[in-house]
Structure formats: structure tokens, C-alpha cells
Amino acid sequence: MARKKATAREKKQKLIEIKRKVGERPDGSAIRKSFYGHTKREAEQAYETYKLDLANDMPVVDTTTTVTEWAPLWLKTYILGTVKDNTYANNYEIPIRRHILPYFKDKPMSSIKSVDIQAFLDHALKKVEPGYVGKMRSLLDGMFETAVENRICLQNPVTRSVKVKKKVSRKKDGPAFYTAEQIGLIIDYAKTHKNGLCILILLVCGVSRSELLGLKWTDITSDRVMHIRRGVVDQKNASTGKWEVYVGNDELKNEFRSRDYPLPDWLYKMILQKPKMIYLGGSVRNKTPLKAVNTEFIFHNAKGSVQSPHNWTYYVYQPFMREMVEYYASKKVDMPLLSAHKLRHSAASYWANAGMSLFAISKLGGWSDLKMLSKVYGHGDIDMLRAELNRVQKVDGQS
């Protein structure tokens, strides 16, 4: 550990410094503290006074352990193995790595005050949603609570007064949804594109990327119903540190996401036209034939198995969107490039503006919170609201 620099006052007075072990960190390394005096004997007396304070239950605080050191140790000691790998990666490791560590860096844990935590939360709100910031507040609370138990901090700075503010000015990052007119244009383009089917299912059915890639051929039944039963996620294996693809019912966000969607005839027919069999291998040089493989998933990788959401976005979704935007730009039509998740939101917004009830929207999209649906999608444009009023008033004889 680097030698602690003497203060200007200590240098001026030419104090003598001694270092003594005063405790141990959770990893077993020694906590050493400097003591000063005009003579070595005075420095030793300062150390003895310190030990006397300890005997009188004065708290000992490790002022050297930094956030960068404690956060990984906290994850390994208190979190790893207590939650599923997917939860560990998405709810613990990633928020700490992407947000908490870059902000606090090598700041000593014991030096962080409530005002510093509040400043971090306000800073984070400019980048991510309040709900995500709330999760990071809980992470910090857990980190500091255990730090207090290990005498790394005197007290937990994540106090009741530290709150996630509801309204913080954020830079707009473009439209949240596609309009009804834009949805029509996307559908027209997707019907002619080689990768258009997956875009159509996202936009027309309001499924998420995870749900799309989890669709199997057995989920499409002859009564023209699409049964959404599983999701696909990329997650880091906590043991190996490698990213892996996971499939299952547990990967759905909540129990409401398991649902049945009645497909329109034209989309049902397009799905059935997609080949279920692919051919792999084969070599003219080695005179080996192609091997026919029946695929399990409707949207699969080159080997016919489950597709990584990250790879699908990079190799399928993003190229499609760029080509579509360029196509309509050549026709003097401005088309924004939105994320795959915003296609799902576009579907819900379209349903809401068409006058569909929030209950029906929640059933089709698998949303459990009607209050959230009302706030986000239940806005309706003025023409739709006027038409609804006219319809109701005619029934009641008010017009």
C-alpha cells in the first residue's frame, strides 16, 4: 500500500510517523494506521491512546477501502449464489459495473456521505429510468450496510432522506413510438424483406425481443393462435464469467407475459411459409452431403438452434432498420430508427389510439399494471377521443 503523505502541518512541525496494525479487512489483509509525535515515544503514546479508545468501545473505521475494492467483494461474499445467475448479472453486477463504479471510482467508502449518494442518484436519473435508479439505491444500501458491519464505514450514508426524485429533466432521445402511418409503412416494407417476418411479429403482436426468439413452431397452432410461453436472454454465467444464452419460462418478465395472441390470417400464413428445415454442412471437396435439420425455434441461428438476443439485434434487426430508413429516405419520407423494444410500445400505442380497452391491451401484451398502461399508452389523440364521445352520445341520445 502506498505510503500516506504527511500534511503540510505535519511537515512543518517535522512530526515523526509510525504505522501500526489496527485491524483486518474482510479479505484478511491488515488495516494499518499512522500515528504522529515530535518523538517516536510521543507517536507510540498516540498509538496507546488509540488502543485505549478501542477498549472503551470507540468505533474503528477502515479509511482505506475504496468503492472499487468493496463492491466486487460484496458481490462475491453476500450476493453470488443467493440469486439466479440471470438476476445476479442483470440486477447486481451490471448496474454496479456500468454506473456505480464509474461514478465513485476509488473513493474511500468511509468518506462517502448522504449528499454524495443523492448526487449519484440525480446523476443516474439523467441516463436511466427512475425504477432502475431505485434498484441502484438498494444496491448501495446493501453495500454500505455490510460495510458498517465490517467496520469499513462508521454509518450507512443511504439514509431515509436520500430519495429517487420523480421529475428530473432528461435529454429527449427521439420519439417513443411509431405513429399509425409509420407502422403502415414499416409493415409494407417488412412484407417484402427477407428478415421482415420477425419485425412484423414484434410490431403487429407487441411481443418483446426475448419472447420473439423464444417462439417455437409448436407455439403456432391451427386455430391461428400464437402461444407465448418462454423468453430468451443473454446472461453472464456467474461461475465462468462467460455470456450464455438461456431459454425458459423463468425468462418471461412476469406471469402475465405467458399469453395467447390471435394472429391475423395474413400473418399466420406468412409464418407457415417460413421453412422449418435448414441444411448444414456438406463439402464438394470431401464429397460429404448436406445434412437436413428440423428447427425447433421459428427464428434461429445459422446452426438451427436458439438465437442470442444480442446477435439477433446486431445481425438481423439493425441491418433491417438501416435498410428501411434508407429506403424511405430515398422517397423523401422521414422514418426514425427505433429500438426493437419500442416496436412493442408502438403496438400498444396503436391499440390505445384505435380505442382498444386497457384490459384488452394488457391481455395482448402481457402487462400486469393497468395504472402504468393508462399513464403511458392511454393518452389517445383528440380525434379518437372525439369519435368515442360522439359514439357514446349517439347511443345515449345526446346528439
Side-chain angles (χ1 to χ4, degrees):
M1 185 175 64
R3 178 183 176 87
K4 181 182 178 181
K5 295 182 180 179
T7 64
R9 177 176 176 274
E10 290 163 351
K11 289 181 179 179
K12 183 177 180 180
Q13 295 181 353
K14 297 182 179 179
L15 298 178
I16 294 174
E17 176 192 24
I18 64 171
K19 285 182 175 290
R20 296 291 182 265
K21 179 180 176 180
V22 296
E24 291 185 353
R25 298 187 182 88
D27 61 2
S29 60
I31 300 173
R32 296 175 63 82
K33 183 175 175 61
S34 296
F35 300 90
Y36 299 92
H38 291 94
T39 64
K40 185 175 181 180
R41 183 175 181 179
E42 282 188 7
E44 290 287 358
Q45 287 178 342
Y47 172 54
E48 293 299 325
T49 301
Y50 180 83
K51 289 196 297 181
L52 184 61
D53 289 338
L54 289 184
N56 293 327
D57 293 326
M58 294 290 288
V60 182
V61 177
D62 169 17
T63 60
T64 61
T65 300
T66 65
V67 176
T68 302
E69 294 170 335
W70 178 247
L73 184 59
W74 176 73
L75 286 172
K76 180 180 179 181
T77 306
Y78 295 97
I79 307 302
L80 187 61
T82 65
V83 296
K84 294 190 297 185
D85 287 351
N86 186 37
T87 302
Y88 176 82
N90 294 326
N91 294 356
Y92 291 88
E93 192 267 338
I94 290 177
I96 288 176
R97 173 168 51 84
R98 291 183 179 177
H99 300 281
I100 293 176
L101 292 184
Y103 184 88
F104 290 104
K105 298 180 181 178
D106 290 325
K107 193 168 186 177
M109 294 283 291
S110 60
S111 69
I112 297 175
K113 299 177 174 58
S114 294
V115 66
D116 301 316
I117 302 296
Q118 187 64 65
F120 164 74
L121 298 180
D122 294 346
H123 171 78
L125 272 172
K126 298 176 182 178
K127 298 182 177 181
V128 296
E129 295 299 323
Y132 195 84
V133 178
K135 291 181 181 179
M136 291 194 286
R137 183 192 184 282
S138 298
L139 293 179
L140 289 168
D141 186 32
M143 285 173 53
F144 279 100
E145 194 64 34
T146 51
V148 171
E149 295 173 359
N150 288 278
R151 300 199 176 194
I152 292 173
C153 294
L154 184 59
Q155 59 186 5
N156 185 349
V158 188
T159 60
R160 289 185 178 182
S161 62
V162 177
K163 299 179 180 180
V164 179
K165 298 175 182 177
K166 299 299 181 183
K167 294 183 180 180
V168 175
S169 58
R170 297 179 59 193
K171 184 178 179 181
K172 299 295 183 181
D173 56 357
F177 318 118
Y178 282 115
T179 65
E181 181 181 0
Q182 290 169 337
I183 288 175
L185 292 174
I186 296 172
I187 290 175
D188 289 342
Y189 182 82
K191 285 180 177 180
T192 62
H193 194 279
K194 63 178 182 179
N195 290 322
L197 179 59
C198 55
I199 307 300
L200 289 170
I201 293 178
L202 288 173
L203 189 57
V204 174
C205 306
V207 302
S208 68
R209 178 184 65 174
S210 172
E211 295 164 350
L212 173 80
L213 299 179
L215 288 174
K216 297 182 178 182
W217 288 109
T218 53
D219 296 326
I220 310 299
T221 51
S222 59
D223 56 353
R224 292 176 173 75
V225 174
M226 179 172 66
H227 304 276
I228 301 167
R229 294 294 183 268
R230 70 197 65 80
V232 178
V233 296
D234 291 310
Q235 66 183 39
K236 183 182 289 187
N237 186 306
S239 301
T240 64
K242 295 181 179 180
W243 285 91
E244 299 175 355
V245 181
Y246 287 78
V247 186
N249 298 346
D250 291 342
E251 311 314 332
L252 291 176
K253 195 170 183 179
N254 57 57
E255 60 181 305
F256 296 93
R257 295 293 279 270
S258 180
R259 60 197 187 278
D260 301 325
Y261 188 95
L263 293 167
D265 289 347
W266 64 269
L267 185 55
Y268 173 76
K269 292 176 181 178
M270 282 190 67
I271 294 174
L272 294 186
Q273 289 171 2
K274 188 178 188 300
K276 296 182 180 180
M277 183 177 294
I278 61 172
Y279 295 89
L280 303 176
S283 171
V284 176
R285 181 178 179 180
N286 297 328
K287 298 181 179 180
T288 56
L290 291 170
K291 180 182 178 181
V293 175
N294 284 313
T295 58
E296 180 180 12
F297 294 89
I298 299 176
F299 303 103
H300 48 76
N301 61 18
K303 296 182 179 180
S305 58
V306 63
Q307 174 82 292
S308 157
H310 172 79
N311 290 344
W312 177 86
T313 299
Y314 187 81
Y315 293 109
V316 178
Y317 183 78
Q318 291 180 351
F320 172 91
M321 296 302 286
R322 286 194 296 267
E323 292 170 17
M324 181 195 67
V325 170
E326 292 174 0
Y327 171 79
Y328 282 116
S330 68
K331 297 181 176 296
K332 309 300 182 182
V333 176
D334 183 27
M335 180 70 73
L337 198 162
L338 303 185
S339 67
H341 191 66
K342 287 187 176 181
L343 293 191
R344 169 172 164 80
H345 291 305
S346 296
S349 179
Y350 175 81
W351 294 335
N353 277 325
M356 185 180 292
S357 71
L358 292 180
F359 177 77
I361 294 175
S362 70
K363 295 294 287 184
L364 289 174
W367 284 284
S368 59
D369 190 348
L370 289 179
K371 183 178 180 181
M372 180 278 296
L373 275 178
S374 178
K375 180 179 179 181
V376 178
Y377 305 114
H379 45 80
D381 59 39
I382 194 64
D383 291 334
M384 184 273 290
L385 295 175
R386 182 177 289 113
E388 284 294 292
L389 275 175
N390 290 338
R391 180 180 62 81
V392 173
Q393 289 168 352
K394 284 181 181 179
V395 172
D396 293 341
Q398 298 179 28
S399 60

